[in-house]
């Protein structure tokens, strides 16, 4: 519980970055992190662009393909891809091709240590591969330190969000408008409905 209700300590961040080279030119990298959100997870999502000509091939809007790599909890890699719905109609349905670590391996006789246990073991073994290099760490502080100083100097107030939610609604609006990212399909919600929700932001 936060006793100081007037604090301007940031607890959520949504950042859009770009990599300045020819391979990733124009591709937005969205970084989001926060506290007291609706779920605790760490994952990487690679959302592909709309399929060219899909609007002419299917009777419905074609969802975007998406590669998801979940680091925690329940380590999983899955591809959200489109398949034609069985029958005579040409309706695209999004399904998951999944590799779940817990179901693909027999863990009854194995001990799968958590991430920090493995990191401590790497420290004892002198392995540096899982750790951030010093030049990368310095560069990250060069990016964020001026922002943190501006928040303190100008007493910037963060956007308020309720505990147990996805974070500030403005963050979703920012991602949808500036990054052309469509949030993952909700259970029981059609892609057409989701596109309508995005267009109304």
């Amino acid at each position: 519980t936060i006793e100081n209700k007037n604090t301007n300590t940031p607890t959520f961040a949504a950042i859009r970055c770009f990599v300045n080279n020819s391979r990733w030119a124009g591709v937005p990298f969205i970084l989001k992190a926060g506290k007291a959100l609706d779920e605790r997870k760490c994952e990487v999502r690679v959302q592909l662009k709309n399929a060219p000509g899909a609007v002419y091939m299917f009777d419905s809007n074609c969802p975007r393909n998406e590669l998801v790599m979940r680091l925690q909890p329940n380590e999983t890699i899955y591809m959200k891809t489109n398949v034609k719905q069985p029958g005579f109609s040409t309706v695209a349905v999004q399904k998951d091709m999944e590799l779940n670590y817990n179901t693909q391996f027999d863990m009854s006789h194995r001990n799968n240590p958590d991430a920090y246990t493995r990191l401590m073991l790497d420290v004892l073994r002198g392995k540096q591969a899982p750790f951030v290099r010093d030049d990368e760490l310095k560069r990250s502080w060069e990016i964020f330190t001026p922002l943190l100083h501006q928040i303190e100097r100008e007493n910037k107030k963060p956007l308020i969000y309720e505990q147990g939610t996805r974070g500030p609604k403005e963050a979703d609006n920012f991602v949808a408008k500036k990054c052309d990212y469509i949030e993952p399909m909700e259970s029981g919600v059609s892609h057409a409905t989701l596109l309508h929700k995005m267009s109304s932001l």
Side-chain angles (χ1 to χ4, degrees), residues 5 20 29-30 54 60 62 64 74-75 95 104 118-119 121 124 135-136 144 153 155 165 181 194-195:
K5 303 300 182 180
N20 188 20
F29 287 76
I30 307 165
S60 62
C62 187
R64 290 180 177 180
N74 303 324
E75 296 90 339
K95 295 295 180 181
Q104 292 294 323
R118 291 193 295 267
L119 283 177
L121 182 59
L124 296 175
D135 56 347
E136 180 183 350
F144 291 107
R153 183 175 60 254
N155 196 27
T165 63
Y181 179 78
L194 197 58
L195 284 175

Side-chain angles (χ1 to χ4, degrees), residues 9 24 62 70 117 129 142 157-158 173:
T9 301
W24 298 105
C62 187
R70 181 176 300 153
T117 302
E142 288 176 3
K157 295 298 181 182
N173 297 345

